[in-house]
Amino acid sequence: MNPAGKERNPLRPVPGIRKRPPGMERVPLAPVQMQMWFLDQLAPGSPAYHIVRGLRLTGELDADLLARSVADVVRRHEILRTAYIYADGAPWQVVMPDPDGLLEFEDLSGLPAGEVEDVIQARAVAAALRPFDFTSGRLARFCLFKRDAAAHVLVVTMHHICVDGVSVPVVFGEIAEFYQAHRAGKPARLPEVAVQFADCVLWQLERMRTEAFRRHLAYWEKQLADLPLLELPTDRPRPPAPTYRGGRATLDLPPEVVSGVRALADDAGVTLLIVLVAAFAATMHRYTGQDEIVVGTATTGRNAPALAGVVGCFINTLVLRIDTSGDPSFAELIRRTRDVVFGAWEHREVPFESVVAVVAPERERSRNPLYQVWIQLVDGASADIDLPVDGILAEDYEIAMAITPLDLSLNVIDRGAGLAFRVEFAADLFDRSRVERLLGHLERVLRAVAADAGVRVSGLPLLGEEELELVSRVWQGADAVQPGGPVHGQIGVRAAADPGAVAGGA
């Protein structure tokens, strides 16, 4: 996705990516892979970067054909059978021979009908959390659970070191293509993989040695100097080390709000993402009182159409530093956000890990470096995972667990007529009720700015009617007299009336 808009930053061809020479048995890690490898060394087996997807499959499924199809896809994409070894003072990635027994199958059809769902959920969660051995070359796990002759659940867990969000539908789509081909007794209709992810890594590392790359890096060093920490109110103290236990909260924006937000983006001449980032930053400002809001977002890192079908971890994180100072109008905040997003997009080739190294923030094990909250706009077509096989209905199967390395991650799924908010949050810090209220506040902010982009950030409504009733009537009592004027004025009046009183005292 292009967060800045295609008009200003058109896709450019990526020259120079070529197959590595025969006999090159090991390849260095990409910067993003290096970071995940280091994290695994610090906390072996941590599920923080497990990507988990489940599908409920209804119809006549041949488990043996599915197993063959999974093996075909793993054979086709080297990164799915790559091991990570340490040799000569550095980690390397090495492609392993085709592994056997990739599809784990469990027949649960003999269980009592009332127990099957609970057992599948337990097995699915266990499969999702099971540690990966980085040296094994098996960082993709496929588990098939049979409910009965016409009902199965497929749970796929892949480590982020070998795939990203774009790769996941590629893997599922190719499994379906091989399955259809095997069932028909014909070859799969898939184009040859021109380059493997390891070839792209060599190209990226070569680019990082250029003068142009150094100029891009200098931008980030200046842009993110003295970066503030976002101090969100939490329900519990931050633990010394993260457990990555997560929770989930969801909200679907009403159609009238969606159309208003889209119209606002069109009127401002910006992308939908820029409006969403501005609204998110405004909400975070109201929560924290901080004038600089730092959020992370993503670029796919696939700057050429030829890379669309390559499986691997291309994703790169962009750090957005949004200035909310001076109580700007929302229209002005959109302009500020646009400039920040355009700047980040123009310098997107620098891996996040290189940015962290040059900015050199004070590291805390309990916090993600540089940013703690995340927002991403996801195309609905890429968010929905399918197994398009004739005669089989594939539906999303939700697994009752969440893992997140961040305080708060907001994914906005764009389905055309609708926008779906999906939040993952650190359960160590937040209760679900707090995050659900935050989503409600963000919806009210979007509703307000869609109606009037001239409203100032301080005037954006957060509380709904129930929350206003709770604050003004229930907590303070029905007979409480509400003082008028701004808070700082009320403090001045109280201080003048009783100058000897202790602040906060009765």
Side-chain angles (χ1 to χ4, degrees), residues 40-292:
D40 188 72
Q41 301 303 299
L42 289 173
S46 168
Y49 289 95
H50 288 191
I51 296 177
V52 185
R53 299 306 298 260
L55 282 180
R56 188 188 300 275
L57 305 174
T58 305
E60 199 171 316
L61 180 71
D62 187 322
D64 291 334
L65 287 188
L66 184 63
R68 288 177 59 189
S69 304
V70 167
D72 288 334
V73 173
V74 173
R75 185 179 304 113
R76 176 175 164 84
H77 297 284
E78 294 176 352
I79 190 65
L80 296 178
R81 48 189 172 90
T82 291
Y84 301 87
I85 64 170
Y86 188 81
D88 300 329
W92 303 85
Q93 48 187 320
V94 178
V95 178
M96 305 297 283
D98 297 347
D100 298 322
L102 285 169
L103 182 68
E104 302 176 17
F105 177 74
E106 188 169 3
D107 187 347
L108 302 173
S109 60
L111 294 177
E115 298 179 11
V116 175
E117 183 59 31
D118 289 342
V119 172
I120 290 179
Q121 268 291 328
R123 299 283 204 279
V125 170
L129 295 177
R130 195 191 318 161
F132 285 110
D133 177 1
F134 273 38
T135 65
S136 69
R138 299 178 70 124
L139 274 77
R141 181 179 302 127
F142 304 83
C143 300
L144 183 66
F145 304 102
K146 181 179 179 179
R147 292 178 61 98
D148 55 52
H152 295 76
V153 170
L154 176 64
V155 177
V156 178
T157 308
M158 295 180 280
H159 199 283
H160 209 345
I161 199 171
C162 64
V163 295
D164 55 17
V166 176
S167 301
V168 175
V170 172
V171 170
F172 277 85
E174 292 191 359
I175 290 173
E177 179 62 36
F178 277 114
Y179 185 95
Q180 298 265 51
H182 288 313
R183 193 168 62 179
K186 298 178 180 179
R189 297 172 299 176
L190 289 170
E192 180 185 356
V193 179
V195 293
Q196 297 285 345
F197 181 69
D199 305 321
C200 301
V201 171
L202 293 174
W203 173 84
Q204 181 187 29
L205 296 176
E206 183 178 326
R207 293 274 296 174
M208 290 174 62
R209 292 190 287 268
T210 65
E211 181 59 35
F213 180 86
R214 285 187 281 274
R215 289 195 298 270
H216 288 311
L217 190 59
Y219 165 84
W220 289 110
E221 184 176 16
K222 180 180 179 181
Q223 175 69 10
L224 302 183
D226 301 318
L227 204 64
L229 288 174
L230 187 67
E231 298 290 356
L232 279 173
T234 63
D235 296 297
R236 284 169 292 282
R238 185 179 297 275
T243 66
Y244 304 116
R245 290 189 312 109
R248 290 176 178 168
T250 65
L251 173 71
D252 292 340
L253 278 188
E256 69 274 12
V257 179
V258 175
S259 59
V261 171
R262 291 190 191 280
L264 173 59
D266 290 342
D267 292 343
V270 298
T271 61
L272 177 61
L273 176 67
I274 290 173
V275 172
L276 292 172
V277 170
F280 189 54
T283 306
M284 293 293 99
H285 167 75
R286 292 291 299 277
Y287 264 64
T288 65
Q290 295 175 238
D291 285 338
E292 288 190 313

Side-chain angles (χ1 to χ4, degrees), residues 265-449:
D266 290 342
D267 292 343
V270 298
T271 61
L272 177 61
L273 176 67
I274 290 173
V275 172
L276 292 172
V277 170
F280 189 54
T283 306
M284 293 293 99
H285 167 75
R286 292 291 299 277
Y287 264 64
T288 65
Q290 295 175 238
D291 285 338
E292 288 190 313
I293 305 299
V294 182
V295 300
T297 192
T299 172
T300 65
R302 299 168 187 258
N303 298 327
L307 298 180
V310 180
V311 174
C313 189
F314 290 88
I315 191 172
N316 191 28
T317 296
L318 303 179
V319 181
L320 307 178
R321 184 178 195 169
I322 310 300
D323 177 13
T324 61
S325 66
D327 195 19
S329 68
F330 192 75
E332 170 60 24
L333 186 58
I334 286 178
R335 287 189 285 271
R336 296 181 186 181
T337 304
R338 176 200 60 196
D339 293 343
V340 170
V341 172
F342 278 149
W345 187 250
E346 289 169 355
H347 301 279
R348 67 193 183 279
E349 291 188 19
V350 179
F352 174 70
E353 293 68 30
S354 298
V355 174
V356 172
V358 73
V359 174
E362 184 176 342
R363 301 297 290 267
E364 296 181 42
R365 191 177 177 190
S366 63
R367 296 180 189 263
N368 191 68
L370 302 186
Y371 68 96
Q372 288 79 51
V373 296
W374 170 277
I375 182 171
Q376 184 177 8
L377 181 62
V378 182
D379 179 67
S382 62
D384 296 329
I385 300 301
D386 194 9
L387 198 73
V389 173
D390 295 338
I392 295 177
L393 173 64
E395 301 172 287
D396 185 64
Y397 180 80
E398 185 171 352
I399 300 171
M401 47 81 70
I403 306 164
T404 179
L406 297 173
D407 291 3
L408 196 72
S409 298
L410 171 59
N411 289 295
V412 184
I413 303 173
D414 187 352
R415 303 193 186 280
L419 291 176
F421 287 0
R422 302 290 183 261
V423 174
E424 293 183 347
F425 59 89
D428 289 338
L429 301 177
F430 304 109
D431 291 333
R432 182 186 304 276
S433 58
R434 179 183 291 273
V435 178
E436 289 174 341
R437 287 197 301 272
L438 185 151
L439 283 176
H441 298 159
L442 181 56
E443 178 188 338
R444 279 184 278 279
V445 166
L446 288 168
R447 190 184 293 272
V449 299

